[in-house]
Amino acid sequence: MADDHHKPGDPEKLPAYTDHGGFLLPKGFPVESFESGKTYQAQDNDLFIVTYPKCGTTWTQHITYLILNNGVPLSPDQRLDVVWPHLEEVGADFIADKATVLENHRLIKTHLPYEFTPNNDSKAKYIFVARNPKDCVVSFYHHTVGFPRHYDFAEGTFDTYFNLFLNGKVDSGDYFDFLRKWLDRKDDPNMLFLKYEEGRKDTRKYILQIAEFVDTDMYPARLLADDEKILKLVLEHSSLEAMKQHPRRWCSDRTGYKPFIRKGSTGGWDELLTEDQEELIQKRLDEVFTKEELEFLGEQYHS
């Protein structure tokens, strides 16, 4: 584990970010593409998956792809980030000209805050996934350690990373502000607000929610036909066990580090979080959200 290499008295190791006007990007992410991505004009057939990092992005992309593709997964030589490109990493021109259009849906992923996300008067659809910050910070730490070419943080400690996360000094900015602004849009007619924890608890329901949102007249009936044949395929291929068998579909090489598809669990934050750190996260949640909103988000969001 990375923390084992840090010795008392050593200077604190920080992740390497590109600071672009106060917005932090992973090292190597092209600033030009980030700026270009913000200028993209959303089209009526665009289908966005929107998350704060490490909040169920890849899993939800994969489920949605399977729904659109009759339960057939990516082939072994395909990469999800090519089929479903990351807007602020590739830029507007790539999305407009080269993004996959599957069953007339242009597939776009983004980790942009609400105010930066293309959202004009089009009929584009947005699937937002929320995950509780305790699990998110642990997963984001492992992610940051596991991509040394983007973060140079292989020797970094969790305590250091936690303090950065709590203060919004990581890529994609402040988790609490990010969730606050997207939660305010949860009732927009072109938005589906999903909770990762509920998806893990009842994946069948999660899949059908997405199918209903993407096209209520087409996908639910298709998934449920023939004794739920396609739905069963979506469930099978989106299981954690199935996704772990094909790690290169989901990300670039992480040899020597924890796999990109790691646990996908909920409530496992106590592997690293101390009680004091849990209390600090809860304090921020209580400051930013009402009691009713925290109850809506789920039991992992309130004491």
Side-chain angles (χ1 to χ4, degrees):
M1 192 169 174
D3 299 69
D4 296 338
H5 300 288
H6 188 269
K7 299 180 179 61
D10 286 351
E12 186 176 35
K13 177 69 177 175
L14 299 175
Y17 298 112
T18 297
D19 187 336
H20 179 58
F23 195 90
L24 300 180
L25 300 169
K27 188 174 64 172
F29 265 47
V31 169
E32 299 80 7
S33 295
F34 175 79
E35 284 299 319
S36 170
K38 293 194 298 179
T39 70
Y40 176 70
Q41 296 296 302
Q43 304 299 306
D44 286 352
N45 64 330
D46 287 348
L47 180 58
F48 288 82
I49 300 285
V50 186
T51 67
Y52 191 83
K54 311 313 295 178
C55 289
T57 324
T58 299
W59 185 56
T60 306
Q61 285 177 273
H62 184 44
I63 285 174
T64 309
Y65 177 86
L66 288 165
I67 292 169
L68 297 174
N69 204 40
N70 294 315
V72 178
L74 298 170
S75 63
D77 62 342
Q78 285 182 297
R79 283 262 304 272
L80 187 65
D81 62 349
V82 175
V83 173
W84 202 309
H86 186 183
L87 172 63
E88 57 269 32
E89 187 175 1
V90 300
D93 290 344
F94 185 98
I95 295 295
D97 299 336
K98 298 180 181 179
T100 302
V101 178
L102 185 58
E103 297 234 309
N104 199 38
H105 299 286
R106 182 180 290 101
L107 309 182
I108 306 170
K109 160 193 161 182
T110 184
H111 294 312
L112 287 174
Y114 177 78
E115 63 270 25
F116 289 161
T117 301
N119 191 4
N120 45 324
D121 293 328
S122 73
K123 296 177 182 177
K125 294 189 173 185
Y126 300 79
I127 298 173
F128 181 87
V129 188
R131 187 185 192 187
N132 77 81
K134 300 166 193 174
D135 280 326
C136 176
V137 66
V138 171
S139 183
F140 210 172
Y141 165 71
H142 287 301
H143 171 91
T144 304
V145 167
F147 280 111
R149 68 190 179 91
H150 286 314
Y151 300 103
D152 189 23
F153 196 61
E155 307 300 322
T157 70
F158 178 73
D159 286 350
T160 295
Y161 188 81
F162 175 84
N163 289 329
L164 294 171
F165 177 90
L166 192 67
N167 291 288
K169 303 300 184 184
V170 296
D171 40 325
S172 291
D174 186 281
Y175 165 95
F176 305 93
D177 183 62
F178 190 104
L179 179 57
R180 168 75 273 162
K181 289 175 179 173
W182 280 103
L183 182 63
D184 287 340
R185 315 304 306 188
K186 71 179 177 64
D187 295 323
D188 288 1
N190 63 338
M191 180 174 172
L192 175 64
F193 190 100
L194 293 172
K195 304 165 205 173
Y196 180 79
E197 293 80 13
E198 290 187 358
R200 283 298 180 192
K201 185 177 181 180
D202 188 346
T203 304
R204 183 182 188 277
K205 179 181 177 182
Y206 192 84
I207 292 167
L208 290 172
Q209 282 180 288
I210 295 171
E212 179 84 17
F213 175 72
V214 175
D215 191 328
T216 187
D217 296 325
M218 180 184 295
Y219 295 110
R222 185 187 289 184
L223 265 61
L224 296 172
D226 298 326
D227 192 29
E228 303 187 351
K229 179 181 176 181
I230 293 178
L231 177 57
K232 289 173 182 175
L233 287 171
V234 177
L235 282 163
E236 174 189 343
H237 292 301
S238 64
S239 71
L240 199 63
E241 294 73 24
M243 292 181 69
K244 281 184 173 182
Q245 292 175 18
H246 304 283
R248 293 304 296 274
R249 282 181 180 170
W250 321 120
C251 75
S252 53
D253 184 36
R254 283 164 67 101
T255 303
Y257 297 93
K258 290 182 183 291
F260 186 78
I261 304 295
R262 197 174 60 89
K263 286 188 176 181
S265 61
T266 62
W269 58 74
D270 56 359
E271 67 168 282
L272 288 175
L273 276 180
T274 66
E275 288 187 12
D276 286 346
Q277 289 168 336
E278 285 188 49
E279 288 176 5
L280 288 169
I281 284 181
Q282 192 60 55
K283 182 174 183 290
R284 288 285 284 126
L285 286 169
D286 292 340
E287 290 169 351
V288 176
F289 303 96
T290 67
K291 179 181 177 182
E292 291 74 20
E293 287 170 335
L294 294 176
E295 288 176 351
F296 165 78
L297 288 167
E299 63 183 3
Q300 295 88 352
Y301 291 82
H302 52 84
S303 303

